[in-house]
Amino acid sequence: MIVCLGEDLLPFIPVAVSHLLKDCGQRDLQEFIPLFNQLIAKFKAAIQPFVSQIFMPVVQSIFSFLGSEIDKCDLFAEKERQSLQKSYFSFVNVLIMNSFSQVIADQGLENTHQILTTLVQGAVDFPDPPTQKTCFACLRRLVEVWGDGQTLAGFDNFIYDGIVPACFLAPMKSTFDLRDAQTVIALGETGQTMKEVLSKRGSECLHFLQAEYLPSLQLPQDSIHEYLQHLQHCDQKTFKTFLKDFFMHLKQHL
């Protein structure tokens, strides 16, 4: 329905959304997010000022539900929580992929850092490869936009503290099944993310990997050298194939 409506709808959206968020239950919020995603995709820049205003209230409502206690034996409640998490990551993904990253940057450093941290957590820990892929795609796009270190204060540090480690920690987890096709697609996104980091940070990235991060994983020098050579010189398809073999070997020797 949204795609059939024109910009005449825009003046009514703030009031409508404000009413939707009042006393909003978890299920209501989950049903609201796809609607909001359609509005962003449809109206793009025309709706950005309103999105900037409503973004953190929506996110805080989501975090409030996700932070509430549930019975770990209640499988339905756990499924509902994971579904809300997926909706949250979808929401952030729609913002970033529609060039709304400035909306995230405008929320203040503390809120922005919290959102970035949730993307890293989703990329590493969320038990669903397509969602992990979505989180890595968001991180890759943010590196593309902010990776020069001048656009968002502290983002260059976050690359090395959060994004680069995520590209290794996720594939090294026992739950990251490299025999599964969806997982291999997510693995490919980690490779694209690392190539984007290299593109933006250059020799600084290579030094960090060679001198600091990869040695901290107790990797032998020949494995470090092999990884860096493939990162620098292989196309994405070849690098993805290498990564699968690299992490399968690494996990066998942990």
Side-chain angles (χ1 to χ4, degrees), residues 153-198:
F155 188 75
D156 50 345
N157 292 328
F158 184 78
I159 288 174
Y160 297 120
D161 294 339
I163 296 176
V164 169
C167 292
F168 291 87
L169 295 177
M172 289 169 60
K173 291 182 77 74
S174 60
T175 52
F176 200 86
D177 184 2
L178 291 167
R179 298 165 298 180
D180 172 69
Q182 291 294 325
T183 302
V184 172
I185 293 173
L187 177 68
E189 196 65 52
T190 72
Q192 291 188 56
T193 302
M194 284 304 306
K195 280 190 167 291
E196 190 61 47
V197 172
L198 177 62

Side-chain angles (χ1 to χ4, degrees), residues 32-245:
F32 162 73
I33 290 173
L35 172 64
F36 207 17
N37 289 347
Q38 289 182 56
L39 290 170
I40 293 167
K42 168 69 176 177
F43 296 112
K44 300 187 184 297
I47 202 175
Q48 184 165 335
F50 170 67
V51 175
S52 294
Q53 176 186 346
I54 204 69
F55 177 69
M56 278 314 298
V58 172
V59 168
Q60 287 165 352
S61 295
I62 293 171
F63 287 171
S64 177
F65 286 119
L66 293 178
S68 60
E69 291 287 336
I70 62 169
D71 185 345
K72 293 184 179 180
C73 296
D74 189 338
L75 298 181
F76 177 77
E78 181 60 30
K79 185 177 180 180
E80 287 287 289
R81 171 171 288 183
Q82 288 191 5
S83 182
L84 181 58
Q85 285 178 291
K86 287 183 183 181
S87 295
Y88 164 71
F89 291 128
S90 171
F91 176 40
V92 176
N93 179 62
V94 167
L95 281 177
I96 293 171
M97 296 307 168
N98 282 279
S99 302
F100 276 42
S101 54
Q102 189 60 42
V103 168
I104 298 174
D106 287 343
Q107 304 306 316
L109 285 178
E110 184 176 346
N111 288 331
T112 299
H113 187 269
Q114 184 180 21
I115 293 158
L116 294 176
T117 300
T118 63
L119 289 174
V120 167
Q121 291 170 341
V124 174
D125 296 324
F126 197 75
D128 177 65
T131 302
Q132 289 180 283
K133 176 186 178 297
T134 295
C135 291
F136 276 115
C138 289
L139 294 170
R140 173 174 55 82
R141 174 62 175 158
L142 291 176
V143 171
E144 181 184 344
V145 176
W146 295 339
D148 58 5
Q150 300 176 7
T151 309
L152 181 69
F155 188 75
D156 50 345
N157 292 328
F158 184 78
I159 288 174
Y160 297 120
D161 294 339
I163 296 176
V164 169
C167 292
F168 291 87
L169 295 177
M172 289 169 60
K173 291 182 77 74
S174 60
T175 52
F176 200 86
D177 184 2
L178 291 167
R179 298 165 298 180
D180 172 69
Q182 291 294 325
T183 302
V184 172
I185 293 173
L187 177 68
E189 196 65 52
T190 72
Q192 291 188 56
T193 302
M194 284 304 306
K195 280 190 167 291
E196 190 61 47
V197 172
L198 177 62
S199 172
K200 290 296 183 180
R201 307 305 299 180
S203 60
E204 175 191 274
C205 167
L206 295 174
H207 177 78
F208 173 76
L209 290 170
Q210 184 171 23
E212 298 183 44
Y213 188 70
L214 294 181
S216 77
L217 300 178
Q218 307 301 314
L219 293 181
Q221 282 300 316
D222 58 343
S223 294
I224 294 174
H225 177 75
E226 184 182 23
Y227 179 88
L228 294 177
Q229 288 297 306
H230 280 80
L231 174 62
Q232 293 176 83
H233 303 301
C234 289
D235 60 36
Q236 182 54 45
K237 183 178 180 181
T238 305
F239 189 47
K240 177 180 173 182
T241 301
F242 163 76
L243 287 177
K244 183 177 179 181
D245 293 337

